[in-house]
Amino acid sequence: MENIKRKVGRQRTATMYNMDICNNVKFTKDFYEMPIIKNDNFIPQKLVGFNYATTQRAKADCNTGVHFYLDDFLFERIWNKPDLYVNILKKYGCVFSPDFSLYTDMKTPQQIYNTFRSRLIGAHLQSQGIKVIPTISWSGVESFDYCFLGIPKGSIVSISTIGINRNKYRYLLWSNGVTEMIKRINPQAILIYGNKIEYDFKGIDTFYYQNEMVERFNNLK
């Protein structure tokens, strides 16, 4: 009986950390062992947030991508039970990997863990036949050691400009990160969630997607 309890306890712990879904995922061969999201060469025509995409009101189609540019608590559930959402997300053209936050005041292990979680969920969804666009997030220059890992060179990637124009310090952090991302990944295209921003993308194709909450508000005016 004691051995059974131990096995059950270990299985519950493994499930909590999503150790079971690591079996179908490849990892970088470096210190950080980040899950790898391969390039699916897909660019959606429009986006919808995960919190809306999983409701009965949502109308899925093959031209729409699902994004996670939301407060973390609105999509933490996909980390807790990733397979619960596979069939729902398969109805869409692609899914962006979860944008777990990397705040500058977070401790480094927290930032590494959130980067790992984003890559792992993205790689797992990809292993289930879903097209995935990697979401790239960073904080300060210290995060550059790990925040671009697991993304092959020449990939299509996604970033956000939400809140960047309002603050010079945020813009500096953002632009430094984009410059480093281009240097390390050299993306085929960059899918940008938010308003256009003044920056030289070095000739890389860029596609902008508006915040759908702002669009809905503007339509009500």
Side-chain angles (χ1 to χ4, degrees):
M1 179 64 88
E2 188 65 29
N3 287 337
I4 293 176
K5 287 183 178 180
R6 288 177 181 174
K7 287 181 180 180
V8 171
R10 177 174 172 77
Q11 181 57 45
R12 292 182 65 179
T13 300
T15 300
M16 182 175 67
Y17 288 105
N18 279 322
M19 293 171 63
D20 49 338
I21 70 175
C22 290
N23 296 328
N24 298 323
V25 172
K26 292 184 178 180
F27 297 84
T28 58
K29 296 180 179 180
D30 53 42
F31 174 79
Y32 295 100
E33 295 184 295
M34 285 293 172
I36 297 171
I37 300 176
K38 66 179 186 292
N39 184 21
D40 272 327
N41 290 299
F42 186 84
I43 298 176
Q45 292 181 7
K46 57 183 178 179
L47 296 179
V48 63
F50 171 77
N51 56 336
Y52 181 76
T54 53
T55 66
Q56 293 182 348
R57 295 175 297 162
K59 296 181 180 179
D61 65 73
C62 61
N63 296 314
T64 300
V66 178
H67 74 81
F68 290 83
Y69 291 118
L70 309 161
D71 290 322
D72 291 31
F73 74 89
L74 291 172
F75 59 85
E76 183 71 22
R77 52 197 167 121
I78 198 171
W79 172 258
N80 296 330
K81 295 183 177 180
D83 286 334
L84 186 64
Y85 302 97
V86 168
N87 288 334
I88 296 173
L89 297 176
K90 276 186 175 180
K91 298 176 183 178
Y92 292 88
C94 72
V95 176
F96 289 13
S97 60
D99 184 39
F100 292 112
S101 296
L102 268 69
Y103 296 133
T104 54
D105 55 352
M106 277 181 169
K107 298 302 182 184
T108 298
Q110 293 175 306
Q111 295 189 45
I112 295 172
Y113 182 54
N114 274 354
T115 302
F116 179 88
R117 294 203 296 162
S118 175
R119 298 287 192 276
L120 183 59
I121 294 299
H124 175 62
L125 293 178
Q126 207 167 51
S127 75
Q128 301 304 301
I130 298 172
K131 289 184 173 64
V132 175
I133 306 296
T135 298
I136 311 297
S137 301
W138 57 89
S139 55
V141 295
E142 299 83 5
S143 68
F144 294 172
D145 286 343
Y146 50 82
C147 69
F148 306 114
L149 296 176
I151 312 302
K153 287 192 174 184
S155 294
I156 296 173
V157 302
S158 175
I159 61 174
S160 172
T161 61
I162 300 297
I164 300 303
N165 273 331
R166 301 174 189 169
N167 184 291
K168 290 183 178 179
Y169 177 66
R170 286 184 181 178
Y171 176 80
L172 180 61
L173 290 177
W174 180 87
S175 59
N176 286 343
V178 176
T179 299
E180 191 68 19
M181 178 186 74
I182 291 174
K183 176 182 175 182
R184 298 198 185 204
I185 300 176
N186 188 24
Q188 172 187 337
I190 303 175
L191 313 187
I192 304 172
Y193 183 75
N195 295 326
K196 290 188 176 181
I197 199 164
E198 187 176 339
Y199 178 83
D200 179 9
F201 287 98
K202 311 300 181 184
I204 296 172
D205 290 334
T206 55
F207 299 83
Y208 283 86
Y209 301 85
Q210 280 294 317
N211 183 328
E212 67 268 21
M213 294 299 293
V214 173
E215 286 187 313
R216 290 173 193 167
F217 178 76
N218 291 334
N219 289 335
L220 293 174
K221 292 183 178 179

